[in-house]
Amino acid sequence: MNPTLAAPAPTARDLIADGRVHVLDGAMGTLLYSRGVFVNVCYDELSVTRPDLLQALHQEYVAAGAEILETNTFGANPVKLSSYGLDDRTEELNREAAQVARRAAAGRTLVAGAIGPLGIRIEPWGPTGVAEAEALFRRQAAGLCEGGVDAFILETFSDPTELAAAYRAVRALSDLPVIAQMTVGEDGKTTYGADVEHLAVELDELGADVIGLNCSVGPAAMLDAVERMARVTRKPLSAQPNAGVPRTVRDRKIYMASPDYMAAYARRLIDAGARFVGGCCGTTPEHVRRIRDVVAAVQPVHTRRAIRAVENASDDAPLPPVPLAERSELGAKLAGGAFLKSVELVPPHGWDAGALVAGARRLREAGVDAVHVVERTRAGGRMASVPAGIILARETGVEPVVHYTCRDRNMTGMLSDVLGAAAAGIRNLLVLSGDPPTQGPYPDSTVVFDIDSIGLINMLTGLNHGLDPGGARIGEPTRLVVGMATNPAALDLDREVERFMYKVEAGADFAGTQP
């Protein structure tokens, strides 16, 4: 049996260079505490004392969609370990932590060696010299290198001088990519008074491959800080906010930001320029899963598979899609390069579809190639496009192009709608993100934007390969011809072109514009 070969998994440098958004993991301490590991224990020793627990928690982040795992070594430097009498085991604990993370990653994700501050002040603010600090960091970096990390992440630093010492320590041993993250307060300044613009310039000049922020503040304050950093650097930006600012509830610190709240801000952080997004204190695999969903919604999904030998095809392997020309009449005309004439019809405000049916019949007689069934333009209340399209197909024989918006539906609801539409004979869908309700006649309506049109096109492409969004087989592939909307008169044409290409890459078969 010949082995099935797939492209090698990307390296950390590949992720940095590809221009796409990638998902970091979330907190480790939060999970350890929730699983009964109390704070009087050295968390950095758990890679030796409880490696199975650590590996299981890493695996939860892998399952949630993290593309980069951080080692459980935030405080595994000689200074912090000395309070537990473990400083002579610095290299060992870092090496073992990296190996635990690598076992959890199993080739599906990358592993970044996490290095935090020493916990002491260095010159000119304290008695520890910069060279001494570098030597301390070098011991930690050496252990992580021995453990086989793919990159380094320097995080939660308040003092740029100390972060620079950690960076030089890493560079003395390795040329692997470095993500350098500072921490700031609600005012966008470090405890040393440096503002985020100054930090961005310093980290850029230092030579870090990715620069950004983590910890301390919730996503709202971090959004403002990332926007400010983006104005002064062209380096890829990262953002790992806490799950809000913790509140004291019955003597416990509780992080109040829900996964949905974090996901909403992840989208805004991405719009602000962040290319590596994840979570810090208080975040869990569920937070990361929702962030992953947002990332999938703003760009096409790429499945990475390691080179491996298989004896039989997986039950959940993608099936080849039905050729475009065989999916629908419209698909055949598109595949043949025909010039198409189409007209939009708006579903009724009430439940009587008589006028809609009569209009479709007249258009068919006039030789129109496609009748587009518009969905609730400008967020108004009308008959939904899917049932309207089913009525047209049943009453007139017209093969409609059904417009379907992401607004007001979560991913599960969209999946149900699309599968039902496919079963009822709908073959052509034009996907739109949708107008916010404030543009319609009901400005006080709530709104749901779980995924946008790019995410939905990804989902439809999966269905056309016989797989649901979770990668499970649905039976025979759907036969959907997938359209997208695009605006050649957009004010931000560069962003419109970028989204256009993302939709093409996600699997769209045709594009429609306004007249």
Side-chain angles (χ1 to χ4, degrees):
M1 179 72 67
N2 291 327
T4 297
L5 299 181
T11 66
R13 291 209 181 278
D14 291 335
L15 267 58
I16 292 168
D18 66 11
R20 300 166 62 84
V21 181
H22 298 285
V23 182
L24 298 162
D25 63 5
M28 179 58 75
T30 299
L31 291 187
L32 289 169
Y33 184 80
S34 70
R35 306 299 164 87
V37 181
F38 295 108
V39 292
N40 60 339
V41 173
C42 177
Y43 279 20
D44 301 294
E45 191 185 15
L46 295 174
S47 57
V48 173
T49 59
R50 300 191 65 180
D52 292 343
L53 173 62
L54 268 187
Q55 182 173 334
L57 297 184
H58 282 311
Q59 287 169 335
E60 289 187 29
Y61 279 119
V62 174
E67 297 172 81
I68 299 176
L69 295 178
E70 294 184 38
T71 56
N72 181 49
T73 54
F74 172 74
N77 62 66
V79 176
K80 289 185 176 179
L81 290 175
S82 65
S83 62
Y84 297 95
L86 298 170
D87 49 307
D88 61 339
R89 299 176 63 188
T90 296
E91 290 84 358
E92 173 201 356
L93 296 180
N94 281 276
R95 180 182 67 248
E96 293 302 313
Q99 291 177 351
V100 169
R102 284 179 60 83
R103 289 196 296 272
R108 297 174 59 192
T109 64
L110 300 176
V111 173
I115 297 177
L118 296 172
I120 54 177
R121 294 187 185 275
I122 66 174
E123 62 180 350
W125 314 112
T128 304
V130 173
E132 184 181 355
E134 285 186 35
L136 293 168
F137 283 124
R138 196 176 299 124
R139 291 187 60 192
Q140 185 175 6
L144 292 168
C145 287
E146 290 175 16
V149 297
D150 301 294
F152 288 87
I153 183 163
L154 314 179
E155 58 182 5
T156 325
F157 283 83
S158 297
D159 180 3
T161 302
E162 185 181 13
L163 186 147
Y167 177 82
R168 288 192 294 270
V170 170
R171 278 288 167 260
L173 301 173
S174 171
D175 62 356
L176 290 173
V178 175
I179 301 171
Q181 296 185 151
M182 300 290 294
T183 186
V184 297
E186 296 282 348
D187 59 356
K189 297 179 181 292
T190 70
T191 54
Y192 290 81
D195 60 37
V196 290
E197 290 88 353
H198 178 76
L199 296 178
V201 171
E202 280 206 53
L203 297 179
D204 194 330
E205 293 176 348
L206 182 65
D209 300 275
V210 178
I211 66 177
L213 302 168
N214 77 293
C215 202
S216 280
V217 296
M222 191 168 287
L223 172 63
D224 176 68
V226 167
E227 289 174 338
R228 290 165 59 186
M229 293 181 80
R231 299 186 191 116
V232 296
T233 181
R234 299 190 66 81
K235 284 286 179 73
L237 296 175
S238 62
Q240 289 186 278
N242 286 350
V245 178
R247 298 180 185 177
T248 301
V249 180
R250 295 184 179 179
D251 298 325
R252 289 186 61 194
K253 295 291 187 182
I254 304 296
Y255 289 88
M256 308 300 289
S258 69
D260 284 341
Y261 179 84
M262 288 287 288
Y265 269 95
R267 183 187 295 271
R268 297 178 67 183
L269 285 164
I270 293 166
D271 287 341
R275 282 196 43 226
F276 291 82
V277 291
C280 201
C281 302
T283 57
T284 66
E286 186 56 32
H287 289 83
V288 170
R289 182 174 291 105
R290 295 293 292 109
I291 292 171
R292 184 276 316 272
D293 291 343
V294 166
V295 171
V298 299
Q299 66 185 9
V301 175
H302 280 229
T303 302
R304 302 196 308 271
R305 297 184 184 274
I307 297 178
R308 60 193 177 102
V310 294
E311 294 184 358
N312 296 297
S314 166
D315 289 341
D316 291 335
L319 297 173
V322 174
L324 178 61
E326 298 175 20
R327 294 183 215 165
S328 71
E329 293 177 8
L330 176 67
K333 292 176 181 178
L334 289 168
F339 184 86
L340 302 180
K341 303 178 291 297
S342 66
V343 176
E344 291 185 353
L345 291 179
V346 179
H349 188 68
W351 62 272
D352 184 354
L356 180 70
V357 169
R361 284 175 175 155
R362 288 196 296 273
L363 291 171
R364 183 183 180 93
E365 292 169 359
V368 168
D369 296 291
V371 175
H372 287 246
V373 183
V374 179
E375 172 150 61
R376 292 183 289 172
T377 54
R378 302 192 69 78
R382 290 181 175 273
M383 181 186 292
S385 59
V386 170
I390 293 171
I391 291 170
L392 286 189
R394 183 188 65 206
E395 299 292 331
T396 69
V398 167
E399 186 185 78
V401 179
V402 173
H403 290 206
Y404 188 86
T405 64
C406 300
R407 185 202 61 245
D408 301 333
R409 300 177 171 105
N410 62 24
M411 180 184 282
T412 304
M414 294 183 207
L415 177 61
S416 299
D417 283 350
V418 170
L419 290 175
I426 298 299
R427 294 288 177 264
N428 312 305
L429 287 176
L430 191 144
V431 175
L432 307 99
S433 294
D435 297 322
T438 52
Q439 295 187 19
Y442 312 114
D444 296 328
S445 298
T446 58
V447 63
V448 175
F449 276 111
D450 195 4
I451 58 174
D452 70 0
S453 56
I454 298 172
L456 182 52
I457 293 170
N458 276 316
M459 185 175 78
L460 297 178
T461 299
L463 296 179
N464 277 347
H465 283 83
L467 299 178
D468 72 9
R473 181 67 59 79
I474 62 168
E476 290 298 312
T478 54
R479 296 169 170 247
L480 297 169
V481 177
V482 182
M484 62 176 175
T486 192
N487 180 11
L491 294 177
D492 187 348
L493 194 57
D494 288 341
R495 176 169 171 76
E496 187 71 14
V497 170
E498 179 182 49
R499 286 181 59 81
F500 177 91
M501 296 309 300
Y502 277 158
K503 292 173 186 178
V504 172
E505 196 176 348
D509 298 302
F510 71 97
T513 75
Q514 293 292 342

